[in-house]
Amino acid sequence: MILGSVLNPINSSMLAVALVPIGHAFGVPPSQTAWLVSGLYLATAVGQPVIGRLVDSYGPRRLYLAGTALVGVAGLLGVLAPSLWVLVLSRVLLGFGTSAAYPASMTLLRTESERTGMRSPSGILAALTASGQVIAVIGPTLGGVLIGLGSWHLIFAINVPLSVICLFLGARRLPKGAPQSAPSGTDVPGMLLFAASLTAFMLFLMEPGFAHWYLPVLGLGAGAWFVRREHGEAEPFIDLRVLRGNTPLLATYGRQLLAYTTSYAFLYGYGQWLQEGRGLSASQAGLLLLPMSAVGILVTAITGRRPEVRAKLAVGAVAQLAGCVALLPLGDDSPLWLLVVIGALFGIPQGLIGLANQNALYAQADPARMGSSSGLLRTFTYLGALLASAANAAFFRDGATSAGLHGMAWMLVAVAALCLVASVADRSLVRVGRDT
């Protein structure tokens, strides 16, 4: 279960240091390689709730095996891709394939708890969460090592053995059983409207201009239609009813969106700048992101067991804002020690904000809609990643230059400042994690 659940974060984070080599290999600018990021997250944003519902209908084993098999196929397609857009297709398939293991694992744990009469397996849940976090933060370093050992093809090739191992273990260890419930209808129109709205906005954000005025109009129209439809559906694609009248939960989703827009913009943008702006290799860039990994893991280990969230969010938001400000004076000759310090500084919010928002959600969400509320939190995470990808494409249109990094840093300063205000001003967080 852990191995299957880390397939998504490992594929998300390894790409941070591979965008520049891939761009050079196909002769395309960052504005086009950004679709390698967007493709995976568009697929995941749509695929996660769909596959979660299919797991409920057909059982975890089938979806786990089908999803992890698709990961292997996508990895092989990425290795053999003759063009950038075939590589984007590989990333889209990875997005769908890696969406299966986590909901399958959660459903299996719930079923086993009910069967055995045991309480919720908090140790296994913590292991699933921690493993995803650890992989997400060490992914850039691992990607740099793989590129140094061979080429960017290896970050796609690694999915093939991982898929085979998952299939072997899943076939041997996951219990066979009947579907969890009778198959229910799938809200295909809702999925298509959601995907259409996101894609229209992404196309505009990646190449903004008056000539493309129709794209945000289409995005708004599809989004409005989507919201109206979902409120009228008995089994909607995304259950928006979890938002009704729950202002603290809305604030948590907003913080998640802001925090992960900054986090992913730094991860992908800084990784590209280290190579094109600072002139380092992919392996060196991966090593310079290692302090972020180490600090993130350390902070999580120290604070992860504490249920209070307000202080974590405030400290994480302050560190994120300070890290964005620290990007402003960087140049082509910035000393390596400064680059190490900035990476370490961004490790603090990596270890604080995500878990704090997750704990806040558990306290704020309606228990009867906990599954939908948790899924929507992940959707806002993916929306942040999509906005970050669009920012990278917009500011690095002519390459990952220092001027482009500074422009993106000013935007991130504003986003991080909003996240800090949203963390400090939310008085409902005072009660979260405290005995009453």
Short mmCIF file of all heavy atoms in Angstrom, two decimals, residues 38-61:
data_model
loop_
_atom_site.label_atom_id
_atom_site.label_comp_id
_atom_site.label_asym_id
_atom_site.label_seq_id
_atom_site.Cartn_x
_atom_site.Cartn_y
_atom_site.Cartn_z
N SER A 38 1.48 20.24 -15.76
CA SER A 38 0.03 20.45 -15.81
C SER A 38 -0.71 19.18 -16.22
O SER A 38 -1.80 18.89 -15.71
CB SER A 38 -0.31 21.57 -16.79
OG SER A 38 0.31 22.77 -16.41
N GLY A 39 -0.14 18.42 -17.16
CA GLY A 39 -0.80 17.21 -17.63
C GLY A 39 -1.04 16.22 -16.52
O GLY A 39 -2.14 15.65 -16.39
N LEU A 40 -0.03 16.01 -15.67
CA LEU A 40 -0.20 15.07 -14.57
C LEU A 40 -1.23 15.56 -13.57
O LEU A 40 -2.08 14.79 -13.11
CB LEU A 40 1.15 14.85 -13.87
CG LEU A 40 1.12 13.81 -12.74
CD1 LEU A 40 2.37 12.93 -12.78
CD2 LEU A 40 1.03 14.47 -11.37
N TYR A 41 -1.20 16.86 -13.25
CA TYR A 41 -2.12 17.35 -12.22
C TYR A 41 -3.54 17.52 -12.73
O TYR A 41 -4.49 17.36 -11.96
CB TYR A 41 -1.58 18.64 -11.60
CG TYR A 41 -0.46 18.36 -10.64
CD1 TYR A 41 0.84 18.75 -10.92
CD2 TYR A 41 -0.69 17.66 -9.47
CE1 TYR A 41 1.87 18.46 -10.05
CE2 TYR A 41 0.33 17.37 -8.60
CZ TYR A 41 1.62 17.76 -8.89
OH TYR A 41 2.63 17.47 -8.02
N LEU A 42 -3.72 17.84 -14.00
CA LEU A 42 -5.07 17.84 -14.56
C LEU A 42 -5.66 16.44 -14.48
O LEU A 42 -6.83 16.26 -14.10
CB LEU A 42 -5.04 18.33 -16.01
CG LEU A 42 -4.97 19.84 -16.23
CD1 LEU A 42 -4.67 20.15 -17.70
CD2 LEU A 42 -6.26 20.53 -15.79
N ALA A 43 -4.86 15.44 -14.87
CA ALA A 43 -5.34 14.05 -14.83
C ALA A 43 -5.62 13.62 -13.40
O ALA A 43 -6.62 12.94 -13.13
CB ALA A 43 -4.30 13.12 -15.48
N THR A 44 -4.76 14.01 -12.46
CA THR A 44 -4.95 13.60 -11.08
C THR A 44 -6.15 14.29 -10.45
O THR A 44 -6.92 13.67 -9.70
CB THR A 44 -3.69 13.93 -10.25
OG1 THR A 44 -2.55 13.37 -10.89
CG2 THR A 44 -3.79 13.34 -8.86
N ALA A 45 -6.36 15.58 -10.77
CA ALA A 45 -7.49 16.32 -10.21
C ALA A 45 -8.81 15.70 -10.65
O ALA A 45 -9.78 15.66 -9.89
CB ALA A 45 -7.43 17.78 -10.64
N VAL A 46 -8.85 15.20 -11.89
CA VAL A 46 -10.06 14.54 -12.38
C VAL A 46 -10.09 13.08 -11.93
O VAL A 46 -11.14 12.56 -11.51
CB VAL A 46 -10.13 14.61 -13.92
CG1 VAL A 46 -11.32 13.81 -14.45
CG2 VAL A 46 -10.23 16.07 -14.37
N GLY A 47 -8.94 12.41 -11.99
CA GLY A 47 -8.90 10.97 -11.73
C GLY A 47 -9.09 10.57 -10.29
O GLY A 47 -9.70 9.53 -10.00
N GLN A 48 -8.62 11.39 -9.35
CA GLN A 48 -8.68 10.99 -7.94
C GLN A 48 -10.11 10.74 -7.46
O GLN A 48 -10.40 9.66 -6.92
CB GLN A 48 -8.01 12.06 -7.07
CG GLN A 48 -7.73 11.62 -5.65
CD GLN A 48 -6.46 10.80 -5.53
OE1 GLN A 48 -5.43 11.16 -6.04
NE2 GLN A 48 -6.55 9.68 -4.85
N PRO A 49 -11.05 11.69 -7.62
CA PRO A 49 -12.41 11.40 -7.17
C PRO A 49 -13.11 10.32 -7.98
O PRO A 49 -13.90 9.56 -7.43
CB PRO A 49 -13.12 12.76 -7.30
CG PRO A 49 -12.29 13.57 -8.20
CD PRO A 49 -10.89 13.08 -8.07
N VAL A 50 -12.80 10.23 -9.28
CA VAL A 50 -13.43 9.19 -10.11
C VAL A 50 -12.98 7.81 -9.65
O VAL A 50 -13.80 6.91 -9.41
CB VAL A 50 -13.05 9.38 -11.60
CG1 VAL A 50 -13.56 8.22 -12.43
CG2 VAL A 50 -13.63 10.69 -12.11
N ILE A 51 -11.68 7.63 -9.49
CA ILE A 51 -11.17 6.31 -9.11
C ILE A 51 -11.56 5.98 -7.67
O ILE A 51 -11.82 4.82 -7.34
CB ILE A 51 -9.65 6.26 -9.31
CG1 ILE A 51 -9.34 6.36 -10.81
CG2 ILE A 51 -9.05 4.98 -8.75
CD1 ILE A 51 -7.87 6.43 -11.16
N GLY A 52 -11.64 7.00 -6.81
CA GLY A 52 -12.12 6.75 -5.46
C GLY A 52 -13.52 6.16 -5.47
O GLY A 52 -13.82 5.23 -4.70
N ARG A 53 -14.38 6.67 -6.34
CA ARG A 53 -15.73 6.13 -6.44
C ARG A 53 -15.71 4.72 -7.02
O ARG A 53 -16.46 3.84 -6.58
CB ARG A 53 -16.60 7.04 -7.30
CG ARG A 53 -18.02 6.54 -7.46
CD ARG A 53 -18.91 7.56 -8.13
NE ARG A 53 -19.03 8.74 -7.30
CZ ARG A 53 -19.71 9.83 -7.66
NH1 ARG A 53 -20.28 9.87 -8.85
NH2 ARG A 53 -19.78 10.87 -6.87
N LEU A 54 -14.86 4.48 -8.01
CA LEU A 54 -14.77 3.14 -8.60
C LEU A 54 -14.25 2.13 -7.58
O LEU A 54 -14.66 0.97 -7.58
CB LEU A 54 -13.86 3.17 -9.82
CG LEU A 54 -14.39 3.95 -11.03
CD1 LEU A 54 -13.35 3.97 -12.15
CD2 LEU A 54 -15.69 3.35 -11.53
N VAL A 55 -13.35 2.56 -6.69
CA VAL A 55 -12.87 1.68 -5.62
C VAL A 55 -14.03 1.28 -4.73
O VAL A 55 -14.16 0.11 -4.34
CB VAL A 55 -11.76 2.38 -4.81
CG1 VAL A 55 -11.49 1.61 -3.52
CG2 VAL A 55 -10.48 2.48 -5.62
N ASP A 56 -14.90 2.24 -4.39
CA ASP A 56 -16.07 1.92 -3.57
C ASP A 56 -16.98 0.92 -4.26
O ASP A 56 -17.61 0.08 -3.61
CB ASP A 56 -16.86 3.19 -3.26
CG ASP A 56 -16.12 4.12 -2.30
OD1 ASP A 56 -15.27 3.61 -1.54
OD2 ASP A 56 -16.41 5.33 -2.30
N SER A 57 -17.06 1.00 -5.59
CA SER A 57 -17.98 0.15 -6.33
C SER A 57 -17.40 -1.23 -6.64
O SER A 57 -18.12 -2.24 -6.56
CB SER A 57 -18.37 0.83 -7.66
OG SER A 57 -19.05 2.04 -7.42
N TYR A 58 -16.12 -1.30 -6.99
CA TYR A 58 -15.55 -2.56 -7.49
C TYR A 58 -14.50 -3.16 -6.57
O TYR A 58 -13.94 -4.21 -6.89
CB TYR A 58 -14.95 -2.33 -8.89
CG TYR A 58 -15.99 -1.91 -9.90
CD1 TYR A 58 -16.09 -0.59 -10.31
CD2 TYR A 58 -16.87 -2.85 -10.43
CE1 TYR A 58 -17.06 -0.20 -11.23
CE2 TYR A 58 -17.82 -2.48 -11.36
CZ TYR A 58 -17.92 -1.14 -11.75
OH TYR A 58 -18.87 -0.77 -12.66
N GLY A 59 -14.20 -2.51 -5.48
CA GLY A 59 -13.23 -3.06 -4.55
C GLY A 59 -11.81 -2.55 -4.80
O GLY A 59 -11.47 -2.17 -5.92
N PRO A 60 -10.97 -2.52 -3.75
CA PRO A 60 -9.64 -1.93 -3.88
C PRO A 60 -8.67 -2.73 -4.73
O PRO A 60 -7.81 -2.15 -5.40
CB PRO A 60 -9.16 -1.84 -2.43
CG PRO A 60 -9.93 -2.88 -1.70
CD PRO A 60 -11.27 -2.95 -2.38
N ARG A 61 -8.77 -4.06 -4.71
CA ARG A 61 -7.77 -4.88 -5.40
C ARG A 61 -7.75 -4.61 -6.91
O ARG A 61 -6.69 -4.39 -7.50
CB ARG A 61 -8.06 -6.36 -5.13
CG ARG A 61 -7.13 -7.33 -5.86
CD ARG A 61 -7.61 -8.77 -5.68
NE ARG A 61 -6.90 -9.68 -6.54
CZ ARG A 61 -5.81 -10.34 -6.23
NH1 ARG A 61 -5.28 -10.16 -5.03
NH2 ARG A 61 -5.24 -11.17 -7.06
#
